[in-house]
Amino acid sequence: MASSPCGNTNFDSGLEIKTRSVEQTLIPLVSQITTLINHKDKPKKSERTLAAIHRVGQAVSVAVGRFVAVGEAIAAENQELKDEMSQACFEARRAGDAIAQLTDVGSASPSSQIDTRVTVFSDRTAMVKAARLLLSSVTKVLVLADRIVIKQIITSRNKVLVTLDHLERVSTFQEFVQIFSQFGNEMVEFAHLTGDRQNDLKDEKKKARMAAARAVLEKCTMMLLTASKTCLRHPDCESARINKDAVFHRMRCALEQVIEIVTEARSCGDSKVLPVSIYNGIRDFKSRVEYLRENLYSWSPQDMGSQLDILVERTEDFTDSPYTSHEQRQAILGLCQLARQEAQQLLQCWIEAQSAHAKQPPEDMEVSILKTCQSVSDLRRELHKAAVSRASDQLKVHGEQLSLRALKAAGAEGNLEAVTEYSCTLTEQKEQLVETCRLLCHVSGTEPLEITCIHAEETFHVIGPQIISAAQTLALHPSSKIAKENLEVFCEAWESQLCDMALLVREINDVFEGDKRPYLSLPRPGKHSANLKTSKSVKLDAEEQTSMAKLGLELRLLSSDVDTEIEKWDDQEHEIVRQSQCLASMAYNMYLFTRGEGLLKTTADFFHQGEVLSEEGLQLCSSLRTFAVQLVDEEKSTVLTEMEKLVAQCQQLQMGGKTPVQGKTATFQKVDTFIQTTKGILTVVLSVLPYCNKLHRKYKSERSSLSSPQDWRERQDTSTPVKEEGTLNGKNSSNGFGIKSLEQHMASINLLEGK
């Protein structure tokens, strides 16, 4: 018996893929390997089938060879990964050669009895082993290359930290200006690297934490500038020093959090797990109660009672709060009591059913299950109502910014006594907002939103005292322009966080009501301008609303057409489909705004939605670029041309969002421009969706049938080696450190889907 060309291996295949780029790079390889293993095992093989299998096997081998060459070059430039990368490349090359040997069936006679070569037909086990080895080794090469991206982020962070230390110790304005310029350049580089990483992460919790940390860095950069200048101008002022130290400390914490996310490290401050929210606790409790219909013995009655007690105990965050109204407190306590009563009734029925050795719950127990689930659902609804109504009330009260205005006025007058008085008022408001964020976290509904609530809570907790120290500095130096500017910056940061909180409340409401369309309340790069000034909200009058409704009608029709095209896709989970649906949903929200309806109430809301839409459009461009890698020349050119049109429209919308406006006329014109540009984006999406759907179906059909070797021959003849852009250390690569080159070479495997 002939030996297998690929022997046993102890290579570790249990690698966790944490980024979308690695996952997407592996898809073509998985597709082709699956096709080879799952070929139709017929007694007679046609020449066409043999030629097809031979070509696919050779193509896999050649593509793996190119892929390995890039991996080996990366290993040569990164000594710390050289051994692991070289071993993974060796295994990948060995597996590729084995697959080429196993698929070398073109010259074999299928009816011959004397051909003793090991092939995919005679030894399917060998093919499976080779495939597993190839997948695990290629995955390891990609994961190792991804470590280099992480190393690049860490290196960038270290540069920022060194410069931050220098900034903290400067003693002259001239030295500060010089170092701050360097710091700005390093922060831009760090922002680009972490932004790419955030978009690439698969884990939504990590994405949310990364977004929160990057938002802190973005806002603190401006604070650092004015706080440091104030401290340099007034070096003996204690409040100015406290103000500056708080900014530096917060930036260091945010930088550390980014590194913890990308390296999956656990610091003392992050070792705790997110507290279980009431929303999740009720959802788990209901799920377990409802499962009793399937299995009466899935858990014990004592455990159910304990879990309900924990839930009721958590509601004390609402009932013990001095800011909860008497009516809300009584309603929550009443529903807790009702839930206990219904659960007690269920316990009795349950114990009786178990004593009778029943296999299914009797009718009275079924009724108790329904009542228990309904009671905790009513409790959840009341808690949601309490948290959201309190948040809305506070946003209305604090939206007037009376305490901030009073602090600024008292500081400018040099009135320390008044500053102390208004500081107490601001501190009380801060405590209210912090507690409200904590309650919103209980009812947020998703882990990313929980993280956003925690970020909002921490932001209010930190910025409140910073505003007070900045006001004290101004009161001590009322003629200081830089002290006045510094206070203004911190007040604007407070106002900005209030705007973020309003968006957060809306998204929590959407989740509660079952509408999970993305409003993206998570802090995002570019969401705030450099000086943190927020656009003033403007409400349109009846005449303007009528005019705007006419403009929005075509937007409504286009979003409807996009939805129609999306429904024609078989693969509703495809990235292109998901992102197009997201664009259509946000465009529809903008249309509702033109009618004076929906969740977008002011022009500030409208402009923010447009900026989010442009970012989602750029994500769609990225997906189109990935999709185009599979295509042949003419098809690829068409998709890339449409993608470039979409990029231009999205960038135009982003630029429009950064343009400040004053007065109603300018605001009205900006709304009109946003609508026109959004229409342009949807027009491109409407053009590219059916074309991509046709290509997706075409290549999916070819992949599943192993027919038409002539097509593969033509694609192989017309394909050219991928030209690498930039250098292997990734300095000119969007993915950094050679991963782009690995992705490009791996894509050449996908002959059955084009290229």
Side-chain angles (χ1 to χ4, degrees), residues 126-178:
M127 186 66 188
V128 171
K129 286 182 178 179
R132 286 177 176 170
L133 177 60
L134 181 59
L135 287 173
S136 63
S137 55
V138 167
T139 301
K140 183 152 191 179
V141 170
L142 290 169
V143 171
L144 288 172
D146 189 59
R147 284 194 206 166
I148 302 171
V149 177
I150 295 173
K151 176 186 172 185
Q152 189 180 26
I153 293 174
I154 294 172
T155 301
S156 178
R157 187 282 307 258
N158 291 341
K159 287 164 58 179
V160 169
L161 276 179
V162 170
T163 310
L164 200 62
D165 289 340
H166 291 165
L167 272 177
E168 196 171 19
R169 294 196 300 267
V170 296
S171 56
T172 66
F173 273 102
Q174 184 178 2
E175 185 183 7
F176 174 80
V177 170
Q178 181 181 357

Side-chain angles (χ1 to χ4, degrees), residues 2 52 111 696:
S111 59
H696 182 64

Side-chain angles (χ1 to χ4, degrees), residues 634-647 684 688:
E634 184 177 352
E635 296 166 343
K636 184 174 184 177
S637 176
T638 301
V639 172
L640 291 180
T641 299
E642 293 300 310
M643 184 205 72
E644 289 169 2
K645 293 179 185 177
L646 187 58
V647 169
V684 177
V688 79

Side-chain angles (χ1 to χ4, degrees), residues 193-229:
L193 291 171
T194 53
D196 290 343
R197 188 67 180 181
Q198 178 184 323
N199 292 331
D200 200 23
L201 287 170
K202 291 172 60 182
D203 190 304
E204 293 299 324
K205 285 171 59 179
K206 291 179 183 176
K207 267 190 172 183
R209 292 184 63 224
M210 180 75 87
R214 295 180 69 242
V216 170
L217 293 172
E218 181 185 354
K219 291 181 180 181
C220 281
T221 300
M222 188 61 188
M223 297 177 190
L224 184 144
L225 174 62
T226 57
S228 297
K229 286 166 64 178

Side-chain angles (χ1 to χ4, degrees), residues 405-415 419 471 473-480 484 487:
R405 293 179 192 172
L407 264 176
K408 287 188 277 191
E413 294 169 0
N415 189 339
V419 165
T473 303
L474 179 59
L476 291 170
H477 308 278
S479 61
S480 172
K484 183 177 181 181
L487 176 58

Side-chain angles (χ1 to χ4, degrees), residues 283-292 298-299 303 307:
R283 183 174 57 189
D284 182 56
F285 179 79
K286 281 181 62 179
S287 174
R288 299 185 74 176
V289 168
E290 288 170 344
Y291 189 67
L292 290 174
S298 57
W299 58 322
D303 287 344
Q307 189 169 351

